[in-house]
Amino acid sequence: MNERDDWHLTDLLRYERGRGDPFAAAVRATRMPMLVTDPHQSDNPIVFVNEAFQTLTGYSRDECVGRNCRFLQGERTDPHAVGVLREAVRNGKDATVDILNYRKDGTSFWNALYISPVRNDDGEVAFFFASQLDISDRVAERQDIERQRNVIADEVEMRTSELKDALAAKTRLLDELDHRVKNNLAMIGSFLRLQARAVNDPKVRRMAEATMMRVDTLSAVHRHIYLDGQLLPLDVADFAQTLLTDFTRQKGQGRVRIRTEIEPSPVRAPVASTIGIVMGEIVDGMISHTAATGGDVALHVKSTIGASVITLSTTAADFTLSSVDPDGLRGTLIARLSRSLDLTIVETRDDHRATVIITIPARRMTN
């Protein structure tokens, strides 16, 4: 049925019953609430409602006919939805809205309302047809879902806020610990320097200087792994280069040349101090020995799938770890700490260079 022929209900409207029109009979009998308004009358009043509409709203036919549909609106009806309907009627257009309406007894229901103009043979709007569908259960379910979503969102926001506060507190604690550790290490270093300068016994001075070196090494480890409230992996390549530079400045300035060929080799933070001490003992001994006669020290760091290999070598070909360990403490520290982390220490020598190779197993490295 085309647009110009689809409304034989005009007979029904004109004569109030029109029982001979099968389309009108269908509209009367359908379970979907329906109504018709006449825009040619003042305020576009209702001119027909079917029984399903009367059942939905609680209003009788006589209570509906002659009134504008707005009598179904109430205090919580959305003005925007009303505006959409008003605009559609003004322009002779279809419109679909979900609008809160009220029954005769004052109870509300959500109405899935569809309005459409019905045109005469000349294409002019003769009536407006409207169908209603009670979607209160669907809206209630949607609102319940939205409430649950809001509850979850509020809970997530609260938990997130708590986590942020906890992280901030942890960061403040770590910052405080970092500050205290730095201060304590610096204080211990100062005490040892004063002690080394004050004693005349060469052995006691040497022991104080060795202990001071170990404190400086721990300080260097701490500087490398702590940043902005986070514990980071220790890049042993960068750390070894730092040790070489620092110890050369202290003990071999102008007498030791440094060459490096390194690539990043990060180890896990929990093992950083132990590995750092082992490297500090070796680097300190090699720089001290090389500085006595002058020469160069080379650092090579290479990471493989199974390990990180750190190679330190010096042109002081007579260098050995035992040659820089008069009281045996350096060797004991290297052996015990290396064994605790399964590090491998290998010494080699030829006529030109002495070499120490440190191998760190992959399980001590970061991914």
Side-chain angles (χ1 to χ4, degrees):
M1 186 179 296
N2 62 43
E3 183 175 308
R4 292 182 178 275
D5 297 328
D6 65 358
W7 189 253
H8 298 296
L9 203 57
T10 53
D11 289 338
L12 176 142
L13 297 170
R14 186 174 298 130
Y15 300 111
E16 189 175 342
R17 291 292 181 263
R19 296 183 185 280
D21 187 341
F23 182 63
V27 170
R28 284 197 307 273
T30 182
R31 287 181 294 178
M32 174 171 281
M34 294 181 180
L35 62 81
V36 178
T37 68
D38 184 354
H40 298 287
Q41 297 186 43
S42 175
D43 205 22
N44 189 25
I46 297 171
V47 293
F48 170 79
V49 294
N50 67 357
E51 291 184 11
F53 180 87
Q54 297 172 63
T55 301
L56 171 65
T57 64
Y59 290 98
S60 68
R61 186 187 305 273
D62 291 340
E63 291 174 309
C64 296
V65 173
R67 303 175 69 180
N68 185 281
C69 297
R70 74 174 66 89
F71 77 91
L72 295 174
Q73 298 170 17
E75 60 179 357
R76 291 166 49 219
T77 301
D78 184 4
H80 174 72
V82 175
V84 171
L85 296 173
R86 185 183 300 116
E87 190 69 18
V89 171
R90 181 183 299 118
N91 297 313
K93 302 290 187 181
D94 296 350
T96 302
V97 295
D98 291 346
I99 187 169
L100 187 67
N101 283 160
Y102 290 82
R103 299 181 179 89
K104 183 178 180 179
D105 64 7
T107 60
S108 63
F109 68 97
W110 280 97
N111 185 3
L113 175 61
Y114 169 71
I115 67 170
S116 178
V118 179
R119 300 182 185 276
N120 60 23
D121 290 342
D122 295 325
E124 299 173 343
V125 177
F127 302 97
F128 272 93
F129 167 82
S131 66
Q132 293 81 26
L133 180 64
D134 185 353
I135 58 169
S136 300
D137 290 344
R138 186 195 312 166
V139 172
E141 181 179 353
R142 187 169 63 220
Q143 291 175 338
D144 186 55
I145 292 174
E146 184 64 25
R147 282 192 295 270
Q148 292 179 25
R149 183 184 295 116
N150 291 336
V151 169
I152 293 172
D154 291 343
E155 183 72 15
V156 169
E157 183 178 358
M158 182 180 70
R159 296 302 181 192
T160 300
S161 178
E162 289 175 352
L163 287 172
K164 287 181 179 179
D165 291 343
L167 180 60
K170 177 183 175 183
T171 301
R172 289 193 297 271
L173 176 60
L174 287 174
D175 285 340
E176 179 63 22
L177 289 174
D178 171 60
H179 180 69
R180 289 176 182 269
V181 168
K182 286 179 179 177
N183 284 348
N184 290 339
L185 288 173
M187 186 178 298
I188 293 170
S190 297
F191 289 161
L192 290 170
R193 286 181 175 84
L194 288 173
Q195 185 178 21
R197 292 172 187 157
V199 299
N200 295 318
D201 188 323
K203 182 177 181 180
V204 175
R205 183 183 298 112
R206 185 174 64 248
M207 293 175 63
E209 290 174 348
T211 302
M212 186 170 59
M213 177 273 296
R214 289 160 190 140
V215 172
D216 290 342
T217 299
L218 287 174
S219 296
V221 170
H222 190 73
R223 290 197 306 272
H224 277 72
I225 67 173
Y226 185 86
L227 178 66
D228 296 333
Q230 298 183 59
L231 283 177
L232 305 175
L234 175 68
D235 184 349
V236 292
D238 182 56
F239 179 70
Q241 186 168 257
T242 297
L243 290 180
L244 283 173
T245 301
D246 289 348
F247 290 162
T248 297
R249 186 183 301 114
Q250 296 170 15
K251 301 182 178 184
Q253 188 72 43
R255 297 190 301 278
V256 177
R257 298 177 300 277
I258 300 173
R259 294 185 294 108
T260 61
E261 182 180 348
I262 61 176
E263 59 185 42
S265 296
V267 299
R268 302 179 187 279
V271 301
S273 295
T274 301
I275 292 176
I277 289 294
V278 171
M279 294 180 62
E281 295 294 334
I282 295 172
V283 171
D284 175 71
M286 187 172 287
I287 292 296
S288 298
H289 187 86
T290 305
T293 57
D296 74 74
V297 173
L299 168 67
H300 182 273
V301 182
K302 177 72 174 178
S303 289
T304 65
I305 295 178
S308 180
V309 180
I310 303 159
T311 303
L312 287 157
S313 65
T314 173
T315 52
D318 61 338
F319 167 79
T320 64
L321 289 176
S322 59
S323 68
V324 290
D325 188 19
D327 53 14
L329 180 58
R330 190 188 302 271
T332 299
L333 284 174
I334 292 174
R336 290 185 177 179
L337 296 179
S338 297
R339 189 161 52 246
S340 70
L341 297 182
D342 298 320
L343 308 182
T344 302
I345 311 292
V346 176
E347 294 186 74
T348 64
R349 284 176 298 282
D350 57 30
D351 293 339
H352 304 288
R353 303 191 76 84
T355 302
V356 179
I357 302 171
I358 310 167
T359 302
I360 304 173
R363 63 179 176 277
R364 306 301 181 186
M365 313 296 293
T366 62
N367 296 328

